[in-house]
Amino acid sequence: MIDGHIDTPTLMLDRGYAVGERHASGHVDLPRMRDGGLDAAIFSIYVARSYGEAQAATDRALAMIDAVQRQLAGRDDAVLVRTADGILDARRRGQAAILLGLEGGHALQASPDVLRQLAAKGVRYVTLTHSNTNAFADAATDRARWGGLNDTGRGLVAEMNRLGVLVDLSHVSDATFFDALAVTRAPVILSHSSARAVHPHVRNASDAMLAALAENGGVAMVNLYADYLGPGATVETTLDHLQHMAEVAGVDHVGLGSDFDGVPRLPVGLGDVTRLPWLTHGLLRRGFSEADIRKMLGGNVLRVLREAERIAAASSS
């Protein structure tokens, strides 16, 4: 089981939150990951828009990466990994596998050099925007400046492909989404987005976006933020989104991106990481096969990581 978007690193840096200890607050820690059967998580290196598009934003990302590295160093129950095989190796050793994803493309300062620096630090995906339009891409929740992705943005997407860094299109405008698909040679992800047809929020993916993502070979990961799922969100509401995404994109293109520790409200019944088995149980009740559930709750992310790694290796050969 893999969660594509967890915001616990913000707590680790800003509050000294010890991820290896069990907490009564927050949504995720290593003991509760084990209880919930979560084998791997992509920890979000989140940079708020208030840092701007300057060195301060990059420094914030580097400080958060350092906080995660320091807390995980030398642990026998969790390990930082960078590849699909790294996830499987950790699982065989009984360790939780932790990967890193940058949330907030403004922290790149529109610079391929900064992208390369963060990739060398272990960043495996970049969310092209957060809530703010930046110097190369329009966001879903801000005024458009470029009509999608500009030339600098197209160059950064190409460089992400070369580096094996996944292009994450959660938070971007619809125009940016389709512009990125036109450029990328690798599968893209929506690391934490739900279905717009189930609840009409601009942060959710339309059916046209889900279909295009499936054609690209990517994966859309359902977000557990209650405001994106709909009024009175419950486990069943979350399953409605997952089922719709699977019906439109196919079971090969759906995943989980909870947004744990990054949102103030979760669905009733999914209050923290220990509750994830209720999603498995619900999918079984709705008639999904065990094989399909394995894809949706982890296998699809492994496939996309592997394909990005293959394309990057071919680019350097």
Side-chain angles (χ1 to χ4, degrees), residues 145-197:
R145 290 169 60 192
W146 313 112
L149 200 64
N150 65 18
D151 286 344
T152 299
R154 285 186 277 272
L156 287 167
V157 167
E159 184 65 1
M160 288 178 211
N161 289 169
R162 190 187 71 80
L163 294 168
V165 173
L166 293 171
V167 177
D168 176 22
L169 300 177
S170 284
H171 282 290
V172 306
S173 71
D174 291 15
T176 299
F177 177 93
F178 288 105
D179 283 354
L181 284 187
V183 174
T184 185
R185 294 179 295 111
V188 303
I189 62 171
L190 289 166
S191 71
H192 56 308
S193 296
S194 298
R196 198 178 294 175

Side-chain angles (χ1 to χ4, degrees), residues 150-304:
N150 65 18
D151 286 344
T152 299
R154 285 186 277 272
L156 287 167
V157 167
E159 184 65 1
M160 288 178 211
N161 289 169
R162 190 187 71 80
L163 294 168
V165 173
L166 293 171
V167 177
D168 176 22
L169 300 177
S170 284
H171 282 290
V172 306
S173 71
D174 291 15
T176 299
F177 177 93
F178 288 105
D179 283 354
L181 284 187
V183 174
T184 185
R185 294 179 295 111
V188 303
I189 62 171
L190 289 166
S191 71
H192 56 308
S193 296
S194 298
R196 198 178 294 175
V198 179
H199 181 60
H201 194 289
V202 69
R203 269 284 285 109
N204 290 338
S206 68
D207 284 0
M209 293 164 76
L210 291 171
L213 178 137
E215 216 172 291
N216 159 267
V219 58
M221 306 181 208
V222 71
N223 189 322
L224 301 188
Y225 184 25
D227 286 14
Y228 297 164
L229 295 173
T234 64
V235 175
E236 291 303 315
T237 314
T238 308
L239 292 166
D240 290 342
H241 281 264
L242 277 167
Q243 183 164 347
H244 183 83
M245 292 159 76
E247 288 170 352
V248 175
V251 293
D252 292 321
H253 305 286
V254 179
L256 169 69
S258 66
D259 223 349
F260 280 143
D261 285 326
V263 296
R265 287 176 297 281
L266 292 166
V268 175
L270 289 172
D272 72 1
V273 68
T274 66
R275 301 290 296 182
L276 291 180
W278 271 253
L279 292 180
T280 306
H281 176 66
L283 290 170
L284 286 168
R285 279 194 298 102
R286 292 189 179 211
F288 287 89
S289 69
E290 289 191 19
D292 285 348
I293 293 170
R294 288 179 187 277
K295 291 179 181 179
M296 295 166 68
L297 297 185
N300 293 334
V301 176
L302 286 173
R303 173 183 56 77
V304 167

Side-chain angles (χ1 to χ4, degrees), residues 31-51:
R32 284 186 288 169
M33 278 182 64
R34 189 163 51 250
D35 291 349
L38 184 60
D39 302 298
I42 304 181
F43 273 14
S44 170
I45 304 303
Y46 164 63
V47 179
R49 65 185 297 172
S50 58
Y51 285 89

